[in-house]
Amino acid sequence: MKLRKGSHDATGLRFGIVVAKFNKFVTSKLLSSCVEGLTKHGVKADDIEVVRVPGAFEIPLVARTMAKSSRFNAVICLGAVIRGDTPHFDYISAEASRGIGQAALDADVPIIFGVLTTHTIAQAIERAESAKFNRGGDAARSAIEMATVMKTLCAEADRLTGHKLTSGSTKSRARRKR
């Protein structure tokens, strides 16, 4: 049995972060924890690019665009959708999660779901606090692990096939379609 797993050493890796401006009192804490988590594991500040979007609904398109650019080893999506009195929460939550999942499959680059979907503001704040749940830091760790496992898998595929199959590159996607 072969076991492949990612590491937590992110030295030399590049990360994109898409963060919603809506509920900024929560998303800014998620972003701070995420960036802190990345740099703590070896990512240089210059290797992190943050793009702010209006809300969670807009995250998937930007995440997909960043991932397909071949500039990042992983893209992290951060947002906060808090239930209100209307069904708006259900629509936004469902479309954001569906879109982020589809973007990851389209781009062949890890795209991490770090969008909080909570019933109350208090729950969102609690999950954004680095001393409590630290979901921003969790998203950073997931991104590092996925980026390193994909790097390992692509290197193994390169070795076995003699073709460069680097995760996210346009040339590798075209070769895989043949």
Side-chain angles (χ1 to χ4, degrees):
M1 175 176 91
K2 288 184 181 181
L3 174 63
R4 308 251 195 259
K5 61 181 186 173
S7 78
H8 293 282
D9 178 9
T11 306
L13 299 179
R14 293 185 46 83
F15 294 88
I17 303 172
V18 185
V19 60
K21 289 189 278 187
F22 198 80
N23 291 321
K24 190 174 183 176
F25 63 97
V26 174
T27 63
S28 62
K29 290 179 181 185
L30 291 172
L31 177 60
S32 292
S33 295
C34 183
V35 170
E36 182 182 321
L38 292 172
T39 56
K40 181 175 138 182
H41 287 94
V43 181
K44 294 178 187 170
D46 287 346
D47 290 334
I48 301 169
E49 183 175 323
V50 177
V51 176
R52 288 215 177 251
V53 297
F57 188 81
E58 292 77 22
I59 291 172
L61 176 62
V62 174
R64 180 177 176 265
T65 302
M66 291 178 82
K68 289 182 94 172
S69 74
S70 299
R71 294 179 17 239
F72 305 102
N73 297 97
V75 175
I76 302 165
C77 302
L78 302 174
V81 185
I82 303 167
R83 187 175 292 283
D85 295 330
T86 68
H88 184 74
F89 168 90
D90 298 310
Y91 303 131
I92 299 302
S93 297
E95 288 306 307
S97 60
R98 183 201 58 75
I100 291 168
Q102 186 60 54
L105 294 175
D106 290 349
D108 290 336
V109 170
I111 299 180
I112 306 304
F113 187 87
V115 178
L116 300 179
T117 55
T118 62
H119 290 285
T120 66
I121 291 172
Q123 289 174 337
I125 291 170
E126 183 178 50
R127 282 158 180 78
E129 288 294 333
S130 60
K132 296 243 181 186
F133 288 101
N134 193 7
R135 296 300 183 216
D138 288 346
R141 283 185 296 281
S142 293
I144 292 166
E145 190 171 341
M146 285 300 297
T148 57
V149 80
M150 289 299 291
K151 195 172 181 180
T152 298
L153 290 173
C154 289
E156 179 69 7
D158 293 351
R159 188 184 66 74
L160 292 173
T161 64
H163 299 290
K164 188 92 172 133
L165 296 176
T166 305
S167 175
S169 82
T170 306
K171 291 178 185 174
S172 66
R173 279 195 298 278
R175 248 193 317 278
R176 279 179 264 168
K177 288 181 181 178
R178 287 187 205 158

